[in-house]
Amino acid sequence: MPIESRVLHPGLRQKIMSADAAAALIQHGDHVGMSGFTGAGYPKAVPPALARRIESAHAAGETFRIGVWTGASTAPELDGALAKVGGIEMRLPYQSDPTCRARINAGEMDYIDIHLSHVAQFVWFGFLGKLNVAVIEVAGVLEDGRLIPSSSVGNNKTWLDQADKVILEVNRWQPAALEGMHDVYYGTQLPPHRKPIPMEHPGDRIGEPYLHVDPNKVVAVVETDQGDRNSAFTPPDETSERIAGHILEFLEAEVKKGRMPPHLLPLQSGVGNIANAVLSGLNRGPFDGMTGYTEVLQDGMLEMLKSGKLTLASATALSLSPAGMQEFLDNLDFYRQRIVLRPQEISNHPEVIRRLGVISMNGMIEADIYGNVNSTHIMGTRIMNGIGGSGDFARNAFLSMFMTPSTAKDGAISCIVPMASHVDHTEHDVQIVVTEQGLADLRGLSPRRRAEIIIETCAHPDYRPALRNYVARAERQAKLGHGGMHTPHILDEALSWHSRYERTGRMLP
Ligand code: 0RQ
């Protein structure tokens, strides 16, 4: 045993073995619950070892495929490695890996795209079948067997409770000082025995800093020393800056109208460069004393914590760039007091999001003229990533915003279309649509008024005439008795922009 081992429990220390030996304990057909959320806290040694094993089995003519359940997206060593060797039968609840995506869209791998807050309870309800194995990264094991979670909590509590067998990866790379930052709530119950979740403020601690596992279920402990994915951000471009500017202006106006306190309400921010640009804008903006209640804490929120604009942030994962990670490590004591990491069933819980009055800001692929939003599908059939937590937040938020550049693929695609080719967030859950062109506030508007403002405010000027023309003809047709005036559409034409793009590479002739 290496001197610096973080496995202090004597019984579990006896189970330390190689990643290959641990991977040999996973069988064809197993449902495997892995840790990991947005490139943070995923197991780093067992999945590649399992991929090698699967590859050899396939070379010998044997079938070997498993179900992979996680918190959210992971990294090339997990999703990428297993998808590459054709080792995943079914994946849930969220992925963003290019190899996985290609396999799913080629029909070679099943994928179930689930609200992140639903996953744990679906397993507890028995909706997804038996969880055979859990493979969980932790930052350390205490002498009494309690586990120090690593850079994400995700669904780890549920995987550890529900799996028949547990494999632990104890990662020395994860800062030892993560100990104490987590808040793992053990008070959930199955209906009809549920109690209110006792959280009234984003910083409330309602659980304990450790995960529990029955040591008898642990079949292997693997020691690792390897960093999280930690991908770098590209600096905000002009489009992201303009989107951020519209949002800031809108929030200032809301405060002036007295509809929100001067320090705003807890912020949820999706992943990606636009989200980071919005957070940078807020960091330079007029608001102080803000809080975050989000699922992924990225560099943008770290900067806001550093400047003092944000007083604290609650999330389920720390997904930082290499520079962000260095900043976090250099000032761990400061950040420890301001960040709480929770299970995703709590970070994304509808009850808590509704109670706190979260301001939700997420990316989208397209919105239609009535405010239905597609977050997941390219041209209606090909999956991009998944709904992630966007639905958990959008439906229950105080304000739900969706943002995108107004066009994609050098202007060949309009992100504002007559009818969304797939709907993840219905018009009922979408209050604000933002592009670099402007911000459409849809609150209190009927579908036809929504169409007007979305076209005139958010659509790219190149596409406005065609959108206006579509609406005018749909209304004319409805007045002639072919269809209704509530949400006018020309059904034969509604998805013609998408089908034209598939045929010609452009949405408009
Ligand atoms: O493709 O790279 O091949 O050019 O889609 O587009 O503009 O880079 O967008 O990285 O901000 O992601 C919705 C996918 C946006 C993301 C989505 C093409 C475009 C490009 C990506 P290329 P961008 P972003 C918190 C909340 C759902 C989950 C969520 C997402 C690629 O925000 O996955 O919100 N959201 N979770 O060219 C065809 C269009 C298009 C289009 C863009 N209209 N039609 N292609 N593209 N618009 C996090 C978690 O839950 C974990």
Side-chain angles (χ1 to χ4, degrees):
M1 184 197 58
I3 226 89
E4 71 275 26
S5 175
R6 291 188 184 176
V7 186
L8 303 183
H9 182 275
L12 294 182
R13 206 182 281 162
Q14 301 298 318
K15 297 181 184 176
I16 294 176
M17 63 182 77
S18 70
D20 288 313
L25 303 169
I26 298 172
Q27 308 306 327
H28 163 65
D30 277 350
H31 290 156
V32 184
M34 307 242 193
S35 61
F37 198 106
T38 326
Y42 53 92
K44 291 154 181 93
V46 174
L50 181 61
R52 290 192 292 275
R53 185 164 165 235
I54 290 175
E55 196 170 29
S56 317
H58 288 177
E62 293 162 29
T63 312
F64 197 145
R65 279 159 78 81
I66 59 165
V68 176
W69 306 356
T70 61
S73 54
T74 62
E77 303 98 291
L78 197 167
D79 274 319
L82 290 170
K84 188 161 169 250
V85 299
I88 306 180
E89 176 72 26
M90 201 280 290
R91 178 76 176 86
L92 67 82
Y94 181 84
Q95 59 76 45
S96 63
D97 181 82
T99 315
C100 256
R101 186 184 297 139
R103 290 262 188 210
I104 296 164
N105 287 323
E108 296 161 356
M109 181 176 142
D110 282 349
Y111 176 47
I112 316 179
D113 181 16
I114 307 182
H115 291 301
L116 297 186
S117 73
H118 271 169
V119 184
Q121 65 167 15
F122 278 11
V123 175
W124 284 99
F125 295 166
F127 290 180
L128 300 174
K130 183 74 202 144
L131 183 65
N132 306 103
V133 188
V135 185
I136 308 295
E137 181 185 274
V138 294
V141 182
L142 300 185
E143 215 164 336
D144 62 10
R146 285 178 301 167
L147 309 173
I148 305 168
S150 81
S151 47
S152 69
V153 183
N155 286 314
N156 294 351
K157 168 180 133 318
T158 297
W159 297 165
L160 290 165
D161 280 342
Q162 291 280 304
D164 290 335
K165 292 193 273 190
V166 172
I167 297 173
L168 296 175
E169 280 199 12
V170 185
N171 189 354
R172 269 192 295 276
W173 175 87
Q174 295 287 359
L178 284 176
E179 184 172 0
M181 268 181 69
H182 308 87
D183 186 56
V184 185
Y185 181 59
Y186 276 93
T188 52
Q189 296 284 335
L190 295 182
H193 305 293
R194 279 192 169 156
K195 299 272 188 299
I197 294 169
M199 189 141 59
E200 293 175 12
H201 187 265
D204 286 351
R205 288 185 170 271
I206 59 172
E208 46 189 294
Y210 304 104
L211 288 159
H212 297 239
V213 65
D214 171 1
N216 298 318
K217 288 205 306 191
V218 178
V219 293
V221 178
V222 177
E223 292 189 295
T224 63
D225 188 359
Q226 201 180 323
D228 277 334
R229 187 181 69 191
N230 296 121
S231 36
F233 290 108
T234 53
D237 58 7
E238 198 199 325
T239 304
S240 313
E241 296 277 15
R242 282 172 65 185
I243 291 174
H246 298 312
I247 293 179
L248 248 77
E249 206 176 291
F250 168 78
L251 293 173
E252 281 184 65
E254 286 297 291
V255 171
K256 275 204 192 98
K257 286 176 192 153
R259 290 204 280 233
M260 245 190 289
H263 52 272
L264 303 182
L265 286 162
L267 303 168
Q268 179 260 334
S269 160
V271 285
N273 291 320
I274 298 182
N276 262 296
V278 174
L279 296 176
S280 306
L282 283 165
N283 201 20
R284 296 189 303 268
F287 308 111
D288 290 308
M290 292 178 276
T291 57
Y293 196 79
T294 192
E295 52 188 31
V296 191
L297 197 140
Q298 293 188 290
D299 288 30
M301 280 208 183
L302 209 65
E303 283 162 22
M304 290 172 76
L305 285 169
K306 188 174 185 172
S307 72
K309 288 272 184 183
L310 199 67
T311 54
L312 61 94
S314 161
T316 191
L318 277 180
S319 184
L320 302 172
S321 72
M325 195 46 158
Q326 198 52 53
E327 162 64 27
F328 175 74
L329 293 175
D330 290 346
N331 298 290
L332 248 165
D333 283 342
F334 174 85
Y335 290 114
R336 274 165 61 82
Q337 292 161 28
R338 290 162 176 84
I339 297 175
V340 186
L341 296 178
R342 312 177 185 280
Q344 73 193 60
E345 64 190 317
I346 303 300
S347 66
N348 287 37
H349 202 294
E351 171 193 331
V352 180
I353 293 165
R354 182 70 68 98
R355 182 180 301 130
L356 299 180
V358 172
I359 301 174
S360 154
M361 300 177 281
N362 289 297
M364 64 173 159
I365 286 171
E366 63 184 4
D368 70 24
I369 50 176
Y370 296 115
N372 298 288
V373 162
N374 170 12
S375 290
T376 56
H377 282 66
I378 304 294
M379 299 297 147
T381 62
R382 288 184 286 277
I383 191 77
M384 182 71 194
N385 301 325
I387 193 168
S390 55
D392 295 324
F393 283 93
R395 175 157 288 183
N396 302 292
F398 178 84
L399 267 182
S400 84
M401 304 192 201
F402 284 93
M403 48 209 187
T404 178
S406 64
T407 61
K409 302 289 178 202
D410 293 326
I413 294 174
S414 171
C415 299
I416 305 295
V417 289
M419 183 181 263
S421 61
H422 175 93
V423 178
D424 296 289
H425 311 287
T426 72
E427 52 165 321
H428 314 287
D429 299 328
V430 178
Q431 291 158 352
I432 316 277
V433 171
V434 200
T435 69
E436 80 290 354
Q437 300 294 325
L439 179 147
D441 180 357
L442 307 175
R443 290 171 297 173
L445 300 184
S446 67
R448 283 166 54 219
R449 301 284 87 78
R450 286 174 160 238
E452 242 167 65
I453 177 172
I454 290 177
I455 294 170
E456 300 309 329
T457 316
C458 297
H460 191 280
D462 291 352
Y463 287 93
R464 281 183 199 157
L467 290 166
R468 289 182 197 125
N469 178 275
Y470 175 83
V471 173
R473 287 184 296 113
E475 289 185 1
R476 210 174 308 136
Q477 186 181 286
K479 282 182 187 148
L480 292 171
H482 308 295
M485 275 298 278
H486 182 62
T487 308
H489 264 305
I490 308 169
L491 292 179
D492 285 343
E493 199 181 312
L495 294 171
S496 64
W497 292 30
H498 300 86
S499 58
R500 188 177 299 111
Y501 178 80
E502 294 281 40
R503 282 196 316 276
T504 68
R506 300 197 66 77
M507 275 194 161
L508 291 184

